[in-house]
Amino acid sequence: KRINAMLQPRRHSLLRNSRIMPLPNLVRQKLSPAQQAYLWQIFRYAISGLALTSMMSAIYLAIVNATPIVPAVAVTLSTLLTAIVGYFVHGNFSFRGHGDRENGGKRFLRFLITTGIGYVLNVGFVIAITDILHLPTWVPTIAFCTVTPIVAFLLCRKWVFG
């Protein structure tokens, strides 16, 4: 049994449930189990979203700083690359155990539409900030890391994985 336990892949229980880091008693008393699950989902989304947004921003900055590609095209490329990773990360981690998993094609299409909405927001930020306001190319990453993730979380939770 001990050898079998050592061979099993370990999952960090902080991210799986609240046993290692339980919610404070006051919060647990005030929140229903569904509300507690929602809170942990936000936490998982924040972790994965931070990683994905950092990845997207790093790709964007690498492209605009190392190539002659214009910022609007750079945000397109970085969004496409990050979307591929994001679908699997959010489906298997952020929104794990949430909603109906029966129709994968419909869910993937909705994820692509949600990604498209995030893309339009990000391109809008790039155009407004770099082309219209003539601010440095790094400034749009502030909006990439704040506004877009909030919109994407709400759409993913209610529409894509809900």
Side-chain angles (χ1 to χ4, degrees):
K1 285 185 175 184
R2 187 172 187 189
I3 292 173
N4 280 341
M6 291 185 340
L7 295 175
Q8 295 297 319
R10 291 183 178 209
R11 292 187 181 153
H12 198 285
S13 57
L14 170 64
L15 304 177
R16 187 177 63 238
N17 58 39
S18 61
R19 283 183 226 158
I20 285 287
M21 193 174 98
L23 294 171
N25 284 335
L26 181 62
V27 173
R28 278 188 291 173
Q29 292 170 355
K30 299 282 182 187
L31 299 178
S32 70
Q35 290 169 323
Q36 291 178 38
Y38 183 72
L39 193 61
W40 282 106
Q41 189 176 71
I42 291 171
F43 179 71
R44 288 192 310 268
Y45 181 83
I47 290 170
S48 60
L50 179 63
L52 290 165
T53 302
S54 298
M55 177 183 158
M56 185 263 185
S57 296
I59 293 168
Y60 165 79
L61 289 172
I63 292 170
V64 296
N65 289 320
T67 70
I69 295 174
V70 296
V73 174
V75 77
T76 302
L77 295 173
S78 61
T79 298
L80 289 173
L81 293 171
T82 306
I84 295 166
V85 176
Y87 177 74
F88 295 103
V89 170
H90 288 312
N92 294 310
F93 178 67
S94 303
F95 298 100
R96 170 184 69 229
H98 176 73
D100 181 15
R101 300 301 169 133
E102 293 298 316
N103 193 339
K106 184 178 179 181
R107 185 176 60 246
F108 184 69
L109 179 62
R110 287 180 174 185
F111 186 81
L112 290 178
I113 292 169
T114 298
T115 300
I117 292 168
Y119 166 75
V120 169
L121 283 172
N122 288 342
V123 168
F125 295 138
V126 167
I127 291 169
I129 293 168
T130 63
D131 293 345
I132 297 171
L133 298 176
H134 303 289
L135 294 173
T137 56
W138 65 266
V139 176
T141 61
I142 296 169
F144 299 168
C145 297
T146 55
V147 178
T148 306
I150 293 168
V151 171
F153 173 80
L154 295 172
L155 286 171
C156 281
R157 177 150 180 24
K158 295 291 184 187
W159 191 52
V160 177
F161 299 106

